[in-house]
Amino acid sequence: MELQRFAYDNRLSRMFLNATMFWGFVGMLVGLTIALELVFPLMSSGIPWLSFGRLRPLHTNAVVFAFVGNGMFTGIYYSTPRLLKTPMYSQTLGKIHFWGWQLIIAAAVFTLPLGFTVGKEYAELEWPIDIAIAIVWIIFGINLIMTMVKRRVKHIYVAIWFYIATFVTVAVLHIVNSINIPVSLFKSYPVYAGIQDALVQWWYGHNAVAFFLTTPYLGLMYYFVPKAANRPIYSYKLSIIHFWALIFLYIWAGPHHLLYSALPDWAQALGVAFSIMLIGPSWGGMLNGLLTLRGAWDKVRESPVLKMFVVGITAYGMATFEGPLLSLKSVNAISHFTDWTIAHVHIGALGWNGMITFGMLYWLLPRLFNTRLYSKKLANTHFWLATSGMLFFAIPLYFAAFTQSLMWKEFTEAGYLRYPNFIETVVQILPMYYLRALGGALYLTGVILLIYNLVMTARSGSFVRFEEDEAPALRTGKISGEKGHRIIESKPVLFTILALIAISIGGLVEFVPMFMVKSNVPTIAAVQPYTPLELHGRDIYVREGCYLCHSQMVRPFRSEVERYGDYSKAGEVVYDHPFQFGSKRTGPDLARAGVQSGPMYKPASWHYNHFLSPQKMVAQSIMPPYPWLIKNDLDISTTNRKIKAMQYLGVPYPEGFADKANAHLQQQAYEIAQNLRDNGIQIEDTKEVIALIAYIHRLGRDIHGGEKVHFSER
Amino acid sequence: MKLVTSALESIADIQWFPIIGLIIFFSFFVILIIHVSRLGRKQEDEYSRLPLDEDDEQEYDYQNETKNLDHDNSNR
């Protein structure tokens, strides 16, 4: 058969590779900054956009979507044409994808520190950026699928299946979770409320891990590990089975983020069961990767690339063993809301994603520049810095998690909490926070070495824009004797649809009953909508990222009921767009902060002083000060639109209330401000802190016999 | 399972939903495993070598993390 000649264009890979290095550095620098802020809370020195609550979403978004995102695209744009024996379908679409993606990240860098956020983890970006993400993502998908359509090989290699699953699933996850009602250009409310919002969010959140951090990187593993080891993957059969099992099972596991919460038990049980099953396909992937190196372990000693791959794949195995373990309710009772979660995700991010990316970059860049790596010694130093950095990060946090969780749960013989002051449990684990920052610093130093090494490598060579190759044209039509999976494997569009069906089943089975069956969200007659002032306060709570350190979910444990108040119920949060359960308790839970007879209640003057200087009220507090809340006036120009948006979402404000909302707001603000003034604090009614105090004092009040809210004229 | 169905019984024919899901799920994997087990060794070998093209058959210099440019194709 006649051979056709064609050339691969390396420019897209190079562009994404540069972006990976740049954003990797930025994302990790922000990470190190917030790790230091936890031990030096005054570091943000009252600057709003430097505070922990605003930078933490920037850190996670930068690492996940910018560092790992660009890393995945680097590998996909390099491996896809070579596996399919054809250049990418469109260089132009590729460029639009590249610049679109960088613009989205740049938008995140500006909007997140300014406090524009939806308030759902890893989905913080506001609606205009969400729309841009959807468009750019679909452009990427079109380019990917069309490249497969015009390929020259019959069989589509397993790495590309992982890329397709990534494209399809991330598109579905992103769109479903980002359906918001805009109030202004940079403010919107999710259409879901309370536990439904929580279920959708963690279906998204968990599968963002699965289909943004895992499947594309498994694809990269299936391409770059055989390349670097110069031997085929250990078992191709295993790769087929573990691919389908992985995408089928992952999509169901989201509810394990909501164990012991107000989510119905059946949904929690579903999440646990699938999480435990997940260990099968996950370890199938890990073993397939590691066993590819069978007979080549001597090379691992020599090659920093293979070393990084081995640690990366091992970290994947550890994290995917830990995941099911954390999904067991008895383990989760200890681990949830503690630093264990942080340690767990960093084994994944620093170990799996980081190491696979670094190995890929060290392997790829010398090839793109037709040269040798500038310094193998520096690469080896990077390897040790990264490995020890990861361990210094994670191990202290495991200790911190166990220590703090057990302190939270400990009772005296007389039946009282042994550590009733939350701060005692924080002080105990602070040394571990120092070590974590050290781990992060080591890891970041390694990344600086990587950038230097790769820049020097590029300078020693010259960029190879086109690489020529040749292959026979693809024979079309059915080859006799082919059936079943082999037909699917060679039909990209059919394959994409099947992957979509596979991931949709899990989502639908979880969502349909949750949204249709009334008994899943038992209503509580006493629960009323937020007043306009409280709604504004809640928006400030979301803007400042309070949910990143304070949960609003008292689990049904004696230790928690004793510490915080009655356990949380699904019916309490039916007007919460978005839900604010939180996933980490760096500070105490606030779900009962408005219950006057409860242990969490603090008067308005306490809150005022606490926002001004947390250390003045709790000497050892690690919360940063929020002086701008006291200085800034509340923007009440949006009240009308906010109330109307809430009414549109089904929150039962009286007809025509939107127009009277600001009068209601001013009355309530006056009462709170007057209370502060009575306590000797000079403050005007118009300040933001008044709204935030109003919101905090509303938390949990309705179901504890609090005064009924009157939405009519007062 | 009783726990799940009791929460869902208000949807018509809901009791069949999980059963249908299970059947799809189970039969898909049974068929998949049968097909995979019947995949020929030659075929498997061919597929798994897709990332490795002729270039990679060259001597790989792990000491310097790059293909041995000096020897080019002379080794094979």
Side-chain angles (χ1 to χ4, degrees):
Chain A
M1 182 164 285
E2 197 189 338
L3 289 176
Q4 298 178 335
R5 290 196 69 79
F6 51 91
Y8 306 119
D9 192 332
N10 282 332
R11 275 180 305 174
L12 286 173
S13 294
R14 181 173 75 157
M15 288 156 84
F16 279 113
L17 188 150
N18 290 338
T20 308
M21 291 193 291
F22 176 73
W23 291 120
F25 175 75
V26 173
M28 291 170 203
L29 184 66
V30 178
L32 180 59
T33 309
I34 58 176
L36 289 171
E37 282 182 349
L38 284 178
V39 281
F40 304 110
L42 299 179
M43 213 174 102
S44 58
S45 31
I47 301 169
W49 50 269
L50 271 183
S51 64
F52 182 92
R54 295 206 192 176
L55 286 186
R56 198 273 202 171
L58 180 62
H59 166 59
T60 48
N61 278 276
V63 169
V64 175
F65 299 111
F67 170 61
V68 177
N70 281 306
M72 124 182 30
F73 299 136
T74 305
I76 290 176
Y77 279 106
Y78 183 83
S79 60
T80 304
R82 284 164 176 81
L83 287 168
L84 299 174
K85 296 277 178 222
T86 178
M88 284 306 290
Y89 168 69
S90 164
Q91 198 70 13
T92 313
L93 286 184
K95 277 188 195 155
I96 297 173
H97 173 202
F98 175 80
W99 287 110
W101 198 254
Q102 309 315 316
L103 276 177
I104 288 164
I105 299 164
V109 171
F110 284 103
T111 58
L112 292 174
L114 288 175
F116 300 121
T117 168
V118 178
K120 291 166 61 158
E121 286 182 74
Y122 327 121
E124 285 96 346
L125 297 172
E126 269 297 352
W127 66 274
I129 308 174
D130 278 345
I131 293 173
I133 294 172
I135 294 171
V136 171
W137 191 258
I138 286 168
I139 288 173
F140 157 64
I142 292 172
N143 210 0
L144 184 66
I145 290 172
M146 289 310 290
T147 307
M148 289 192 286
V149 169
K150 56 173 226 139
R151 72 195 186 279
R152 289 190 177 81
V153 289
K154 182 79 183 162
H155 180 78
I156 298 174
Y157 183 67
V158 64
I160 296 185
W161 311 359
F162 280 100
Y163 302 159
I164 303 183
T166 303
F167 161 64
V168 171
T169 317
V170 171
V172 173
L173 292 168
H174 172 69
I175 292 168
V176 173
N177 191 43
S178 305
I179 305 177
N180 298 342
I181 301 296
V183 175
S184 65
L185 184 60
F186 286 115
K187 179 70 201 164
S188 64
Y189 294 121
V191 290
Y192 320 104
I195 56 162
Q196 290 172 339
D197 193 36
L199 186 70
V200 175
Q201 158 61 22
W202 284 115
W203 168 79
Y204 163 87
H206 183 72
N207 288 298
V209 174
F211 289 90
F212 206 93
L213 302 175
T214 306
T215 53
Y217 268 61
L218 282 169
L220 298 185
M221 178 189 90
Y222 274 118
Y223 182 78
F224 287 100
V225 172
K227 275 291 205 193
N230 197 22
R231 56 192 59 229
I233 195 74
Y234 170 67
S235 166
Y236 203 72
K237 291 178 179 178
L238 179 59
S239 76
I240 297 175
I241 294 171
H242 109 91
F243 169 79
W244 285 107
L246 195 80
I247 69 164
F248 242 120
L249 297 180
Y250 240 126
I251 207 82
W252 299 73
H256 70 211
H257 289 257
L258 297 162
L259 298 181
Y260 289 112
S261 75
L263 190 78
D265 260 353
W266 65 264
Q268 297 187 27
L270 199 66
V272 172
F274 278 88
S275 304
I276 294 163
M277 283 195 270
L278 256 176
I279 200 167
S282 300
W283 275 43
M286 174 193 71
L287 292 174
N288 220 356
L290 286 181
L291 289 175
T292 299
L293 298 169
R294 73 204 178 284
W297 287 97
D298 53 318
K299 294 171 183 169
V300 175
R301 211 173 44 203
E302 296 296 330
S303 155
V305 170
L306 290 181
K307 265 187 230 177
M308 285 178 162
F309 283 161
V310 167
V311 172
I313 298 168
T314 308
Y316 174 64
M318 291 305 105
T320 54
F321 173 69
E322 200 182 9
L325 193 71
L326 295 175
S327 310
L328 298 173
K329 284 189 94 168
S330 48
V331 180
N332 197 272
I334 298 172
S335 77
H336 198 53
F337 292 132
T338 70
D339 286 298
W340 199 340
T341 313
I342 319 298
H344 170 60
V345 298
H346 281 84
I347 292 287
L350 303 176
W352 165 239
N353 295 114
M355 289 298 204
I356 298 287
T357 309
F358 302 146
M360 179 182 78
L361 297 186
Y362 281 125
W363 183 88
L364 183 57
L365 191 117
R367 277 161 184 78
L368 292 183
F369 285 83
N370 193 29
T371 183
R372 290 170 187 217
L373 190 62
Y374 170 70
S375 167
K376 196 177 140 185
K377 206 170 162 190
L378 273 183
N380 274 324
T381 312
H382 177 199
F383 168 78
W384 284 111
L385 281 172
T387 306
S388 55
M390 174 178 76
L391 296 176
F392 265 109
F393 190 105
I395 294 171
L397 289 190
Y398 289 128
F399 275 105
F402 273 109
T403 306
Q404 195 176 30
S405 189
L406 295 178
M407 287 175 84
W408 287 343
K409 288 174 187 297
E410 192 173 337
F411 282 93
T412 62
E413 277 173 22
Y416 298 108
L417 285 171
R418 183 170 298 278
Y419 306 99
N421 282 333
F422 191 92
I423 192 67
E424 292 177 84
T425 71
V426 177
V427 171
Q428 190 69 29
I429 62 172
L430 269 186
M432 300 299 156
Y433 282 10
Y434 282 100
L435 283 176
R436 178 255 297 272
L438 172 69
L442 289 175
Y443 199 87
L444 182 63
T445 311
V447 171
I448 295 169
L449 292 188
L450 165 103
I451 294 173
Y452 173 73
N453 204 353
L454 291 187
V455 168
M456 295 307 285
T457 307
R459 287 172 74 173
S460 74
S462 60
F463 179 59
V464 185
R465 182 174 161 190
F466 292 109
E467 261 176 73
E468 300 231 327
D469 198 357
E470 56 184 23
L474 177 64
R475 281 183 299 158
T476 47
K478 192 172 184 286
I479 299 166
S480 60
E482 270 202 356
K483 53 189 170 181
H485 200 265
R486 254 173 271 171
I487 298 175
I488 302 173
E489 284 160 21
S490 58
K491 292 209 177 343
V493 179
L494 176 68
F495 188 86
T496 308
I497 294 167
L498 277 177
L500 182 64
I501 293 172
I503 61 118
S504 300
I505 291 177
L508 285 175
V509 173
E510 271 170 22
F511 292 165
V512 171
M514 198 64 182
F515 285 91
M516 296 190 48
V517 184
K518 251 189 132 55
S519 65
N520 278 325
V521 189
T523 45
I524 301 173
V527 174
Q528 288 183 285
Y530 294 107
T531 67
L533 186 67
E534 289 156 6
L535 189 62
H536 275 293
R538 188 168 206 276
D539 290 340
I540 294 168
Y541 186 94
V542 169
R543 181 187 77 194
E544 301 304 340
C546 304
Y547 62 95
L548 296 164
C549 290
H550 295 280
S551 57
Q552 286 186 24
M553 176 49 63
V554 182
R555 297 180 293 175
F557 300 139
R558 184 176 157 231
S559 59
E560 297 208 355
V561 171
E562 192 82 8
R563 184 182 297 278
Y564 303 118
D566 198 9
Y567 64 90
S568 298
K569 289 146 193 85
E572 288 180 73
V573 289
V574 288
Y575 305 130
D576 284 16
H577 301 266
F579 80 108
Q580 291 288 285
F581 294 176
S583 57
K584 169 75 173 71
R585 281 181 189 148
T586 305
D589 187 279
L590 298 178
R592 300 289 174 248
V595 182
Q596 286 202 10
S597 56
M600 290 304 292
Y601 187 83
K602 298 282 192 299
S605 55
W606 186 93
H607 282 298
Y608 174 90
N609 286 315
H610 189 248
F611 283 125
L612 196 60
S613 170
Q615 288 70 27
K616 202 165 103 187
M617 309 310 288
V618 182
Q620 291 157 310
S621 171
I622 59 168
M623 178 166 146
Y626 288 83
W628 63 92
L629 297 177
I630 284 150
K631 218 172 73 197
N632 291 356
D633 280 329
L634 184 67
D635 174 15
I636 58 168
S637 65
T638 51
T639 314
N640 186 304
R641 269 175 288 155
K642 283 183 176 178
I643 296 291
K644 281 184 176 156
M646 284 293 164
Q647 284 176 318
Y648 180 77
L649 292 172
V651 179
Y653 289 107
E655 194 78 20
F657 180 69
D659 298 326
K660 296 178 232 157
N662 267 338
H664 189 285
L665 179 151
Q666 280 154 349
Q667 175 65 29
Q668 193 184 2
Y670 169 78
E671 285 165 17
I672 294 170
Q674 193 55 43
N675 173 298
L676 287 172
R677 288 189 286 261
D678 291 346
N679 283 288
I681 293 164
Q682 282 314 306
I683 190 162
E684 297 155 51
D685 301 0
T686 53
K687 300 300 174 190
E688 283 187 331
V689 70
I690 307 277
L692 191 51
I693 292 172
Y695 172 62
I696 292 171
H697 277 172
R698 180 65 188 276
L699 292 171
R701 209 186 66 183
D702 286 7
I703 64 160
H704 285 86
E707 198 188 331
K708 202 167 154 54
V709 181
H710 295 284
F711 288 104
S712 51
E713 309 273 339
R714 291 203 273 178
Chain B
M1 190 57 77
K2 191 163 181 290
L3 192 73
V4 178
T5 44
S6 65
L8 307 177
E9 59 202 4
S10 56
I11 300 179
D13 296 329
I14 189 71
Q15 70 274 27
W16 297 108
F17 278 42
I19 305 297
I20 295 167
L22 185 69
I23 290 170
I24 297 175
F25 186 81
F26 187 76
S27 45
F28 179 86
F29 276 91
V30 169
I31 295 168
L32 182 72
I33 287 168
I34 291 171
H35 271 289
V36 166
S37 66
R38 288 172 59 191
L39 191 71
R41 177 166 285 278
K42 206 180 133 214
Q43 208 95 46
E44 192 192 351
D45 205 47
E46 181 199 322
Y47 295 163
S48 60
R49 283 187 175 275
L50 277 174
L52 310 168
D53 39 38
E54 303 83 64
D55 294 12
D56 294 299
E57 304 298 321
Q58 293 170 33
E59 196 64 15
Y60 191 87
D61 183 354
Y62 286 93
Q63 290 290 338
N64 292 305
E65 274 310 329
T66 179
K67 271 179 234 163
N68 199 330
L69 301 170
D70 308 332
H71 294 108
D72 238 342
N73 288 326
S74 56
N75 286 342
R76 293 264 157 176

